[in-house]
Amino acid sequence: MRVNRCVRAWLLLCLAVTVLGASAPAHGTGPGPRAPVSPPTADPSVPALARAWPVGVRPFVVRGWEPPETAYSRGHRGVDLAAGPGAEVRAVASGRVSFAGRVAGRGAVSVELSGTGAPPLRTTYGPVRASVREGDEVLAGQVLGTLETPDTHCGPTPCLHWGLLRGTAYLNPLSLLPPWLLGTGPSRLLPLDATGTRP
C-alpha cells in the first residue's frame, strides 16, 4: 500500500515537472517540449485557414478537444495550450473582433473569421487581457492581448483556452491548423529573395 502511494506521488511529481517545464522554458531557450498532436479528424465545415498558433510557435497541448455527447454533457469544448501569464495571444486567422471584455470576471476575446460562411466560424481565447476592441479588423498573427494570470480552468499549469464555434456548435479548433502548423505534414521550403534571404 505504501509502495503504491510512493509510486503514485512520484508519477504525479514527474508529470507536474514536465508540464510546468513545458509551459515556462528558460530564457533564451525557445519553446519547451511539445505534446504530440494528432491530426484532427477532417471536418469539411472547418477550412484549415489558420496561419499561426494563438500562443508560441507550437505550444504544449495541456488538454485536447473532448466533444460532449450532448449539448449538456461533460466534455472539453476547446483545447488548452501551455503559456505563461503575459504571453502574447494572437489571432490564428483574419477576421473581425466580435467580443473583447470580461465574462464572469475572466478576460475573453472572440474573433469572427472572414470568408467562413453563415454563421461564420468564431474563435475564442481566454483568459486574455484584450488589446483590441469589438469591431476591430485583425490579421492572422496579430496580437489580440496578453494571457492573464491563470484561473482554475487548467489547474496548476498556466494555459490559454482556445475554442471554435459555428453559431452555438462547438468544434475542434485544431481543425483550423494546416498540417505544416501541426507539424504533421512535410517540411516546406520558403523562397529566397534576390539577396538570398527569406522575404
Side-chain angles (χ1 to χ4, degrees):
M1 182 80 164
R2 183 175 176 165
V3 171
N4 286 342
R5 270 194 306 228
C6 290
V7 169
R8 213 172 347 186
W10 182 80
L11 289 173
L12 287 172
L13 178 61
C14 288
L15 177 64
V17 168
T18 301
V19 170
L20 291 175
S23 65
H27 291 288
T29 61
R34 296 175 180 153
V37 178
S38 301
T41 304
D43 184 339
S45 71
V46 180
L49 52 76
R51 295 295 168 255
W53 282 88
V55 288
V57 175
R58 185 162 176 243
F60 185 91
V61 178
V62 177
R63 185 175 177 193
W65 164 250
E66 298 165 18
E69 290 182 20
T70 70
Y72 303 103
S73 299
R74 292 175 58 97
H76 193 234
R77 294 162 172 82
V79 296
D80 294 337
L81 306 174
E88 290 183 334
V89 177
R90 295 180 301 277
V92 297
S94 299
R96 184 184 61 80
V97 177
S98 56
F99 179 83
R102 303 198 76 73
V103 177
R106 186 176 194 246
V109 175
S110 183
V111 177
E112 287 184 357
L113 304 183
S114 302
T116 57
L121 289 171
R122 189 171 77 251
T123 52
T124 59
Y125 311 84
V128 176
R129 182 174 309 283
S131 59
V132 291
R133 291 183 299 212
E134 189 173 327
D136 286 354
E137 296 289 331
V138 294
L139 299 173
Q142 184 173 334
V143 174
L144 302 172
T146 55
L147 193 64
E148 293 183 333
T149 303
D151 54 18
T152 57
H153 177 80
C154 290
T157 305
C159 77
L160 171 75
H161 180 78
W162 176 36
L164 175 67
L165 299 97
R166 185 181 295 280
T168 59
Y170 286 89
L171 304 167
N172 184 354
L174 293 178
S175 300
L176 289 170
L177 298 172
W180 61 271
L181 268 177
L182 281 168
T184 59
S187 299
R188 295 187 340 154
L189 297 175
L190 296 175
L192 301 178
D193 65 14
T195 64
T197 58
R198 275 187 233 163

